[in-house]
Amino acid sequence: MRAILFRSLKTSEQPVAGTTSSMLRENGMLYGQSSRHIPTELLVHIFSLSLPDHDRRLRTSRHLLPPFTLSQVCHSWRTLVLNTPRLWSDIDTTIYGTKSDRACRDLQLWASRAGDTPISIRHTPYIFDGLHILLAGATSGVYETETTAFMEAIAGLAKRLRYLTLNVLNTDVLEPLFRLINIDRPSESDGATISQQDLDALSAFPLLEELDLSSTHLGILAEEYSLENIDIACPRLRRLSLLAPANIPGEHVKAMQSMRSLDLKFVTALSHCLRWIQICPNLENLSLGLFCRDEVGQVGDNDWMDQLEREEMEVESELDGDDEGWVIVPEPRPQPQRRIPASTIVHYHLHRLTTLNIWVCSSPGDLAYLLSDLEAPALTVFRVATSVISQSNARWPSVLDFIRRSRPHLDEFECSGTLMVPEDVRASLALLPDLRVLKLGKSREVDAVLSHMVAPESGEVLCPKLEGLSLEESTFSMDILAAMVSSRCGAMDTGSKEVACQPLKMLRMDDRYVDAAKEHPLMLECLSRGLKLERVPVDRREEPEY
């Protein structure tokens, strides 16, 4: 039967020749008697596997894709497709442009054919001149009016939503959904408790497991929205992704025990970030983008983080083009000393957290304050990147202190653009014997770190299990890098080595260094041993996926 299906599908892809009757005769085994012997459950499963992904839906008109094409093969298939709700439960209304009338029609059609089945909705309009349209819409109101009407239609399906992904120009148009989340919280007066049945009845999104809200241009014109009762409105929520600066949990929100993944791409106040972490104690994945100077970390005139932020300034530097727009932190400061009253310190023990990504576009003081109150012993992936280039010799031990306190068994560690001195980087790596992937980018002194990582003839080896090293956006000496790589690539082949050390398998660097690497004798020997060298085009480097 499988051979018949593949043979028939292959035939159907060829140019149609002859009459309709001849085509039916050629494919009669599938379209005729044979298809009646395929169990309905198997046929529905095959139909489900043929549904297009998001990228294919972008490239092809919907009426040329399943399930529409499946419903046009024959009467029996049409009947089966139209009476199988799960074939219509994955709704993608992604469009080009800002017109939402087509998206509304698609939403209504698919939702009606999905029956009472739980549905997922994805709406990501591709707008090539979004900022211009947004600014024009601010005066005309066209975009807001049309998109708000579309959001009202989604709100009408709230009870059936399981996954919801929305990208908009301005988070203000999400007000119909925020209104459902911000339902009135029942009072617990006189010690009376609220039954679970009553809470379920109040839930606006009782089935929702994943919520992804993002705004183009980071929602620069958006107003602040507080998600007052998201714990009651979305009791089953497991994953929350917010790329918008204005979504804050209400002060009465209780612990969301089901939450496993939290992605806050645009944190404008550190207190908001800490509040989310406080109400999500069972997180397994946490990604943060910090764009803030928060009042939480500012306590006293002598606080080192406050001093650090006052000294930061944008300058017209003489750095190369790759470093334009980065923050230069000038001349030395004293040893960091935190003076935070004990009453303000709240410690967050995330015992299930395995992945932590932090990207800082504001002050490193925000990162320092955040890490000082976190503990994550189960962490396996830790990535931290900041947009700071330092000219200071002051120590910045926040990452090292976090690793010492948590004692995680990291597989992957990224330390890009931080204020860590080489000694602190070395001390951090010494605590990570299971590390397999390391990324150093825009570090203060990469050469010093690489020197520490040279595998000695005998004795302790830093990160003996290291397999991959990434040096994107870094400046380093090729001789020092070659010595480190050679000491590790030859570790398994040299009998004089007394300490086991995994050979380095992958080295990633900017393409400006690749030619020099291929000409260096030690690097050539490593490449012949199987080292894989990956180049990163300087003009096409990927943004951090944080």
Side-chain angles (χ1 to χ4, degrees):
M1 184 60 67
R2 179 178 296 180
I4 295 174
L5 291 173
F6 280 116
R7 187 165 60 250
S8 301
L9 289 173
K10 182 178 180 181
T11 304
S12 64
E13 294 175 356
Q14 299 174 352
V16 177
T19 62
T20 303
S21 58
S22 64
M23 182 179 67
L24 290 175
R25 282 196 300 271
E26 292 176 4
N27 299 293
M29 294 187 69
L30 179 63
Y31 299 141
Q33 297 179 357
S34 179
S35 63
R36 299 193 185 102
H37 298 293
I38 301 178
T40 301
E41 295 79 5
L42 176 58
L43 200 55
V44 169
H45 180 66
I46 296 172
F47 289 170
S48 300
L49 296 177
S50 71
L51 295 178
D53 58 17
H54 176 69
D55 292 335
R56 190 180 173 197
R57 289 174 178 175
L58 286 179
R59 299 191 303 266
T60 312
S61 299
R62 284 170 173 75
H63 70 279
L64 298 177
L65 293 173
F68 289 103
T69 52
L70 296 173
S71 67
Q72 298 169 5
V73 173
C74 62
H75 177 72
S76 61
W77 279 26
R78 179 175 179 80
T79 301
L80 180 60
V81 169
L82 294 180
N83 288 278
T84 306
R86 68 187 176 106
L87 295 178
W88 305 90
S89 61
D90 186 7
I91 306 174
D92 192 331
T93 58
T94 296
I95 57 175
Y96 287 91
T98 58
K99 293 292 183 180
S100 298
D101 52 348
R102 172 184 165 183
C104 282
R105 291 196 301 269
D106 287 346
L107 178 63
Q108 294 169 357
L109 174 64
W110 285 65
S112 63
R113 292 184 175 179
D116 296 328
T117 304
I119 59 176
S120 62
I121 297 178
R122 178 170 183 164
H123 180 70
T124 309
Y126 280 75
I127 304 171
F128 300 104
D129 194 12
L131 185 58
H132 172 75
I133 294 173
L134 179 59
L135 295 175
T139 57
S140 65
V142 174
Y143 172 78
E144 286 80 358
T145 301
E146 293 185 351
T147 309
T148 301
F150 177 69
M151 297 302 161
E152 292 282 5
I154 294 179
L157 302 169
K159 294 288 186 181
R160 296 170 53 192
L161 284 173
R162 178 166 289 172
Y163 309 108
L164 179 60
T165 301
L166 298 174
N167 179 273
V168 294
L169 288 182
N170 190 337
T171 54
D172 291 346
V173 300
L174 299 174
E175 195 275 335
L177 302 178
F178 293 152
R179 189 170 61 242
L180 287 179
I181 293 177
N182 295 337
I183 56 177
D184 292 334
R185 186 181 247 352
S187 61
E188 299 182 6
S189 58
D190 301 328
T193 59
I194 306 170
S195 67
Q196 186 62 45
Q197 184 176 1
D198 293 337
L199 290 177
D200 293 340
L202 290 172
S203 174
F205 301 88
L207 304 179
L208 191 64
E209 296 180 10
E210 297 186 9
L211 177 60
D212 189 334
L213 302 178
S214 59
S215 55
T216 307
H217 308 297
L218 299 177
I220 56 176
L221 301 182
E223 296 183 2
E224 186 173 281
Y225 284 93
S226 178
L227 307 181
E228 291 293 340
N229 298 311
I230 189 172
D231 55 331
I232 295 179
C234 310
R236 295 189 180 182
L237 197 61
R238 296 178 56 85
R239 177 182 176 274
L240 178 63
S241 178
L242 299 175
L243 176 51
N247 299 288
I248 308 163
E251 61 179 8
H252 300 294
V253 173
K254 297 182 179 179
M256 302 178 68
Q257 302 290 347
S258 299
M259 187 76 76
R260 295 294 183 268
S261 179
L262 179 62
D263 188 355
L264 305 177
K265 292 288 184 63
F266 198 100
V267 178
T268 55
L270 196 58
S271 57
H272 301 163
C273 172
L274 294 175
R275 177 64 178 142
W276 277 114
I277 294 175
Q278 181 183 20
I279 65 175
C280 302
N282 296 322
L283 286 177
E284 297 174 358
N285 298 281
L286 176 60
S287 297
L288 304 171
L290 304 182
F291 293 77
C292 56
R293 179 186 185 276
D294 190 34
E295 71 283 357
V296 173
Q298 316 308 318
V299 283
D301 296 334
N302 296 323
D303 181 62
W304 78 275
M305 291 180 291
D306 188 49
Q307 179 183 357
L308 181 64
E309 292 182 345
R310 287 198 305 268
E311 293 179 358
E312 289 177 353
M313 61 183 179
E314 293 286 348
V315 298
E316 294 292 333
S317 67
E318 297 180 357
L319 299 173
D320 59 29
D322 298 335
D323 296 318
E324 291 181 359
W326 285 66
V327 177
I328 305 298
V329 181
E331 290 309 311
R333 289 174 296 278
Q335 173 76 14
Q337 297 293 332
R338 299 187 66 215
R339 288 200 316 106
I340 298 182
S343 59
T344 67
I345 297 178
V346 179
H347 193 66
Y348 303 98
H349 182 84
L350 300 177
H351 63 287
R352 293 188 177 183
L353 193 69
T354 59
T355 302
L356 176 60
N357 301 315
I358 307 177
W359 186 41
V360 184
C361 278
S362 51
S363 165
D366 295 324
L367 176 60
Y369 185 80
L370 177 65
L371 290 179
S372 68
D373 292 332
L374 284 183
E375 185 174 323
L379 205 63
T380 58
V381 177
F382 181 31
R383 306 185 186 102
V384 55
T386 71
S387 58
V388 175
I389 301 175
S390 174
Q391 296 176 343
S392 168
N393 294 320
R395 288 187 63 229
W396 189 77
S398 302
V399 172
L400 174 58
D401 290 344
F402 169 75
I403 293 176
R404 280 175 173 166
R405 183 170 60 253
S406 298
R407 291 284 177 171
H409 297 280
L410 291 186
D411 290 326
E412 180 178 345
F413 177 45
E414 175 181 349
C415 180
S416 301
T418 71
L419 299 180
M420 295 180 71
V421 296
E423 291 75 14
D424 286 343
V425 177
R426 182 189 182 283
S428 299
L429 297 179
L431 297 173
L432 305 173
D434 298 325
L435 194 68
R436 296 184 181 277
V437 179
L438 173 64
K439 179 178 179 181
L440 300 172
K442 288 191 181 297
S443 296
R444 302 170 73 180
E445 297 179 36
V446 173
D447 286 345
V449 177
L450 294 177
S451 298
H452 289 314
M453 297 182 64
V454 174
E457 290 295 327
S458 61
E460 181 182 356
V461 181
L462 278 182
C463 307
K465 298 181 180 179
L466 190 68
E467 297 179 353
L469 175 64
S470 177
L471 298 174
E472 295 178 48
E473 305 181 50
S474 294
T475 301
F476 51 86
S477 166
M478 186 58 65
D479 289 335
I480 295 178
L481 173 64
M484 187 278 289
V485 174
S486 177
S487 69
R488 288 175 175 267
C489 285
M492 298 300 290
D493 302 328
T494 305
S496 62
K497 294 282 184 181
E498 298 179 2
V499 180
C501 178
Q502 291 289 340
L504 201 65
K505 297 180 180 179
M506 186 277 294
L507 180 61
R508 185 179 175 91
M509 64 178 67
D510 293 345
D511 55 3
R512 57 181 173 172
Y513 288 107
V514 171
D515 292 339
K518 291 182 177 179
E519 294 174 358
H520 198 286
L522 292 179
M523 294 295 291
L524 283 174
E525 181 181 357
C526 294
L527 292 173
S528 67
R529 292 172 180 263
L531 175 67
K532 182 179 180 182
L533 183 61
E534 295 185 3
R535 67 168 65 216
V536 181
V538 176
D539 58 343
R540 293 202 305 270
R541 281 196 291 257
E542 297 179 359
E543 292 295 328
E545 296 183 357
Y546 298 164

